[in-house]
Amino acid sequence: MRVLFATSEAAPLVKTGGLGDVAGALPAALAARGADVRVLLPGYRPVMAALAGTHHGAHHRADRGADRGAGTSARSRMQPGVTVPAHAGIPAACLLERRGPGDVPCYVIDCPALYDRDGGPYQDATGIDWRDNAMRFGLLSRVAALLGCASSPLDWRPEVVHCNDWQTGLAPAYLRYATDARAASVITIHNLAFQGIFPPGLLAPLGLPPASFTVGGLEYHGSISFLKAALAFADAITTVSPTYAREIQSEPLGFGLQGLLGQRADVLTGIQNGIDTGVWDPARDPHIVARYGPDSLDRKAANKRALQKRMGLAADAAVPLVAIVSRLTEQKGIDLVVEAARWIVGLPAQLVVVGTGAREYESAVQAVAARHPGRAAALIGFDEPLAHLVEAGADMFLMPSRFEPSGLNQMYSQRYGTPPVVHATGGLADSVVDCTPATLADGTATGFTFAAATGIALLDAVDRAVTAYRDPPTWRALQRNGMARDFSWSAAAARYVEIYARVARRA
Ligand code: ADP
Ligand code: GLC
């Protein structure tokens, strides 16, 4: 099965959140199941820099593990670029073939006018969306579709184009209106809250026919919706957990697309994400102070000491340390943490927040830290090594998300013996088993869940967690249950391969 995995980010080359982690790991898991999968990624400045610094031939597959940890896994297999012609208002580009994350072949779209700049993949350094995002991701979508057509400039032709989120959402529309389309398409929704809505005047520059601009197509309240294009035209729709697949078929989590998703329920599947168990492994993690496994959990204490020191918290081995690493946005329920903070530190417990996002939340968590010196601490920034130390050093991990399509940190936390405390929504509900007398007795308990996204419910769950923490046999059981769970990508990869086979057959 030949699959083109089109994505706007892929760790460790470029990552703003969970999509980066998924695209950095799932393709390799698909390859391990025998799929001939290749990644398609925009050539942002840092991606080009990372790939340019690689030497061809000098590194072999055996280097891979170490490379990943150091964040420089891409090894090029130098080949001259292939030209992709301009299309309507979308400029011409050059397609470079390299080795991407996990040693998976990767096509990088080199188009300096659209991608060669400082700042993030979606926004400039001040947090404003790039003004030309429609064209930047129109190009990504267009190339994804073109590679699935007879007119592709490459010899290699995918049977399935696997799109991810709105940034690749136009690909199924381009395929739908191509006269020589060969590939089927799949769209995975990682977050329905981001839809890629642009003015209707961009239809012609994007090279899409007026016929596509209808209620049954990509028109959304008079605008162009990249994500709706994919939901309307893709052969299959997946999202990143079974519960989220149900939640998005009604208000409020359908974000206006619940009707369309309900109509297409027969091709909609929820597949819980996996995690990269090589990168997130407490027994091998290069970013933590003391490595450990289920039988050496005592060593976790050294990581807690290091985290307390790093964050300026009191060095106290006994006090439970509660942490969160997250985008600081309304989705993630950061305001609930701020609201509950003074009660949490009063339990007593220590609180660590690491994240970036909305200015108001950044200031609010900084204010919490300032109010409770030694007991609460905040780091505003994106710090991957610190995220690993937090997983290893904290006693429990908070995820009070209002909605969470999959969530990854609750799985990292279980693997690190750091029971998560989560709002029972989406992928959090699907991957954390609440600690009750029954689930403790049958050995399934792995964390704490709460039903309402409120500060009180969050506090109540943290309180239950702290009570369990004070009972070492219970706590060890919770930690070991979580560490024993298989969160690897292999089960999810098998489900994707089934879906590819189904849509390819139909195409
Ligand atoms: P989302 O994609 O909605 O942000 P996920 O739970 O799927 O949520 O994934 C978030 C990923 O980004 C995790 O790997 C998490 O550790 C990481 N992350 C988020 N914020 C930060 C940060 N400030 N520093 C380091 N890593 C972060
Ligand atoms: C999105 C979701 C998150 C999910 C990630 C990867 O960013 O918010 O829940 O884990 O995508 O699928």
Side-chain angles (χ1 to χ4, degrees), residues 56-70:
H56 58 117
H59 292 264
H60 305 284
R61 279 168 166 268
D63 297 337
R64 223 160 67 193
D67 283 344
R68 282 208 67 116

Side-chain angles (χ1 to χ4, degrees), residues 375-408:
R375 292 193 292 170
L379 181 128
I380 304 303
F382 197 95
D383 188 333
E384 186 91 28
L386 180 59
H388 286 248
L389 182 63
V390 169
E391 288 292 2
D395 293 304
M396 47 201 88
F397 196 97
L398 285 185
M399 294 183 80
S401 310
R402 290 199 162 75
F403 67 94
E404 194 62 79
S406 164
L408 299 172

Side-chain angles (χ1 to χ4, degrees), residues 99-183:
R99 286 279 157 184
D103 214 25
V104 170
C106 182
Y107 295 113
V108 178
I109 305 171
D110 187 16
C111 181
L114 294 181
Y115 302 136
D116 184 24
R117 48 183 85 165
D118 286 329
Y122 316 122
Q123 298 174 332
D124 66 18
T126 67
I128 310 284
D129 284 356
W130 294 115
R131 292 173 56 113
D132 53 355
N133 271 346
M135 292 326 232
R136 298 174 74 241
F137 297 110
L139 173 64
L140 174 61
S141 299
R142 153 86 185 142
V143 174
L146 179 64
L147 299 191
C149 290
S151 49
S152 167
L154 299 180
D155 293 335
W156 181 83
R157 188 80 36 80
E159 292 155 272
V160 177
V161 176
H162 186 162
C163 306
N164 292 277
D165 274 352
W166 72 264
Q167 293 87 348
T168 47
L170 289 188
Y174 288 121
L175 281 167
R176 162 71 179 70
Y177 290 100
T179 48
D180 62 341
R182 292 284 182 274

Side-chain angles (χ1 to χ4, degrees), residues 137-364:
F137 297 110
L139 173 64
L140 174 61
S141 299
R142 153 86 185 142
V143 174
L146 179 64
L147 299 191
C149 290
S151 49
S152 167
L154 299 180
D155 293 335
W156 181 83
R157 188 80 36 80
E159 292 155 272
V160 177
V161 176
H162 186 162
C163 306
N164 292 277
D165 274 352
W166 72 264
Q167 293 87 348
T168 47
L170 289 188
Y174 288 121
L175 281 167
R176 162 71 179 70
Y177 290 100
T179 48
D180 62 341
R182 292 284 182 274
S185 60
V186 175
I187 173 74
T188 295
I189 304 167
H190 296 266
N191 195 334
L192 198 60
F194 302 105
Q195 301 183 355
I197 309 280
F198 297 98
L202 289 174
L203 198 67
L206 285 166
L208 283 159
S212 65
F213 194 71
T214 63
V215 179
L218 53 77
E219 186 266 343
Y220 184 71
H221 298 291
S223 295
I224 296 171
S225 166
F226 274 47
L227 185 62
K228 191 180 169 207
L231 301 183
F233 296 124
D235 297 292
I237 304 172
T238 75
T239 187
V240 288
S241 69
T243 295
Y244 192 61
R246 284 191 299 279
E247 289 171 336
I248 56 178
Q249 293 181 52
S250 53
E251 295 270 29
L253 295 188
F255 284 100
L257 293 169
Q258 60 277 356
L260 174 56
L261 287 162
Q263 278 165 31
R264 302 217 65 201
D266 56 328
V267 296
L268 168 61
T269 315
I271 303 174
Q272 177 80 40
N273 280 337
I275 62 173
D276 189 326
T277 50
V279 172
W280 295 93
D281 179 359
R284 291 190 296 166
D285 192 328
H287 302 300
I288 68 180
V289 173
R291 288 172 261 289
Y292 59 94
D295 299 320
S296 50
L297 275 163
D298 289 343
R299 296 171 56 80
K300 210 172 176 307
N303 295 305
K304 181 169 175 177
R305 265 197 309 279
L307 180 61
Q308 286 171 325
K309 183 151 185 258
R310 166 85 191 265
M311 300 301 296
L313 294 171
D316 180 344
V319 69
L321 198 167
V322 185
I324 177 167
V325 178
S326 178
R327 291 187 286 117
L328 303 180
T329 63
E330 161 153 32
Q331 175 195 343
K332 302 293 180 178
I334 299 306
D335 49 319
L336 308 182
V337 178
V338 169
E339 187 188 328
R342 77 187 166 107
W343 308 104
I344 292 176
V345 297
L347 284 172
Q350 291 182 339
L351 178 65
V352 164
V353 181
V354 176
T356 50
R359 294 282 178 275
E360 50 182 307
Y361 293 129
E362 292 183 349
S363 336

Side-chain angles (χ1 to χ4, degrees), residues 405-417:
S406 164
L408 299 172
N409 281 101
Q410 80 281 11
M411 295 187 276
Y412 302 154
S413 300
Q414 289 173 71
R415 193 157 158 80
Y416 278 68

